[in-house]
């Protein structure tokens, strides 16, 4: 299968690309920089230069593909409304190119914020009016002859090269001299290793029917107090509670996320698609030490 992948050179995307190549697929990757393009080409990927704001390149990549995986997202939380709208337009553009073809289109979405305090399952619809409408837009494409599915990812997709939420928490702990957690720290974050997530993206591409929602959570919910404990131990810093009302002052924009209780099950996904996560969990991954190197690994 000829598969067009946006976000192909990123932390998750590079693992998805390798999974697809190992599965015998021909991968076409969208690359916005010379460095990303060179890395993809070296891996055996056909390259289209551009980014998700360039709708012409998205149309070309999708029109020539047997299937599409959309992973790219502009992680600028200072202007979230704009980047969410960019993501929406990208999904709509790809969907237009695939309309009436019954070709698979796997769209990445997030779990955080869909529910609070109860375990999120695949059959719980995303509430209307969310700033990021990835899921809503993607699922509407099923009525237009696109085999569109949604793969929800947890707040922590971990592994070497991670530059997401957990590395940000580590940087904050280094800067403040304390590894903190909000309130009693019992609120939970689901998590998955990026290599387990990559296998699920491939299964979604190959197997998911139109309108399917998949959950890429290997761990239903890791208490944030436990995350703070591991960070504190590895940095040799004290671990302390921060009142909820002070979380934003201490953590910045990530404070609200870190205070959410957002457990998520993948039982239905595992049963329907035969996906069994096999990689180490988040806390065990943190204990390996690569998150705490002086120059943390970064993926372009």
């Amino acid at each position: 299968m000829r598969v067009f992948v946006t976000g192909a050179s990123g932390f998750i995307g590079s693992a998805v690309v390798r999974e697809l190549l190992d599965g015998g697929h021909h991968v076409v990757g969208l690359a916005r920089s010379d460095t990303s393009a060179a890395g993809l080409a070296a891996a055996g990927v056909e390259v289209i230069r551009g980014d998700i704001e360039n709708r012409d390149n998205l149309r070309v990549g999708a029109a020539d593909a047997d299937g599409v995986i959309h992973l790219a997202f502009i992680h600028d939380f200072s202007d979230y409304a704009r980047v969410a709208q960019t993501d929406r337009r990208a999904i709509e553009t790809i969907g237009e190119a695939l309309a009436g073809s019954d070709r698979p289109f796997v769209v990445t979405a997030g779990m955080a914020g869909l529910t609070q305090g109860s375990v999120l399952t695949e059959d719980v619809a995303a509430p209307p009016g969310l700033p990021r409408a990835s899921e809503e837009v993607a699922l509407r494409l099923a009525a237009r002859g696109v085999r569109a599915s949604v793969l929800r990812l947890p707040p922590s997709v971990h592994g070497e090269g991670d530059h997401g939420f957990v590395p940000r928490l580590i940087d904050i702990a280094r800067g403040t001299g304390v590894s903190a957690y909000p309130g009693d720290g019992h609120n939970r974050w689901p998590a998955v290793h990026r290599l387990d997530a990559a296998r699920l993206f491939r299964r979604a591409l190959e197997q998911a029917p139109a309108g399917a929602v998949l959950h890429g959570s290997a761990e239903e919910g890791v208490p944030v107090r436990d995350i703070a404990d591991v960070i504190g131990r590895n940095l040799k810093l004290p671990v302390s509670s921060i009142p909820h009302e002070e979380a934003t002052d201490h953590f910045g924009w990530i404070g609200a996320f870190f205070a959410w209780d957002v457990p998520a099950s993948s039982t239905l996904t595992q049963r329907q698609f035969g996906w069994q996560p096999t990689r180490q969990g988040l806390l065990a991954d943190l204990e390996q030490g690569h998150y705490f190197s002086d120059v943390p690994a970064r993926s372009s």
Side-chain angles (χ1 to χ4, degrees), residues 94-202:
I94 294 169
E96 289 167 3
L98 298 177
S101 68
D102 196 37
R103 284 176 283 175
F105 180 20
V106 184
V107 174
T108 309
M111 295 174 172
L114 300 189
T115 59
Q116 281 274 1
S118 60
V119 177
L120 178 69
T121 56
E122 296 90 334
D123 53 2
V124 174
L130 293 176
R132 183 177 178 181
S134 312
E135 186 166 325
E136 173 190 348
V137 175
L139 295 180
R140 282 207 302 263
L141 292 172
R144 299 187 60 195
V146 181
R147 185 151 58 88
S149 62
V150 170
L151 200 162
R152 293 172 176 166
L153 289 177
S156 179
V157 180
H158 58 90
E160 290 199 55
D162 183 4
H163 51 278
F165 288 144
V166 170
R168 178 62 185 147
L169 294 172
I170 292 170
D171 289 344
I172 291 167
R174 283 178 167 141
T176 61
V178 60
S179 180
Y181 56 89
D184 60 16
H186 289 166
N187 57 297
R188 297 154 291 176
W189 270 16
V192 67
H193 194 282
R194 75 173 185 135
L195 298 182
D196 282 327
R199 287 193 296 109
L200 185 56
F201 272 101
R202 178 181 164 192

Side-chain angles (χ1 to χ4, degrees), residues 3-37:
V3 186
F4 177 48
V5 180
T6 70
S9 63
F11 171 63
I12 302 171
S14 58
V16 171
V17 164
R18 176 45 52 195
E19 177 71 23
L20 293 172
L21 291 172
D22 289 347
H25 294 292
H26 178 88
V27 180
V28 181
L30 186 68
R32 68 177 185 264
S33 71
D34 291 341
T35 300
S36 295

Side-chain angles (χ1 to χ4, degrees), residues 231-253:
I231 293 173
R233 182 164 61 254
N234 279 271
L235 294 180
K236 297 180 172 55
L237 293 174
V239 179
S240 177
S241 169
I242 296 291
H244 282 287
E245 58 271 20
E246 298 176 14
T248 301
D249 288 339
H250 182 85
F251 294 105
W253 61 265

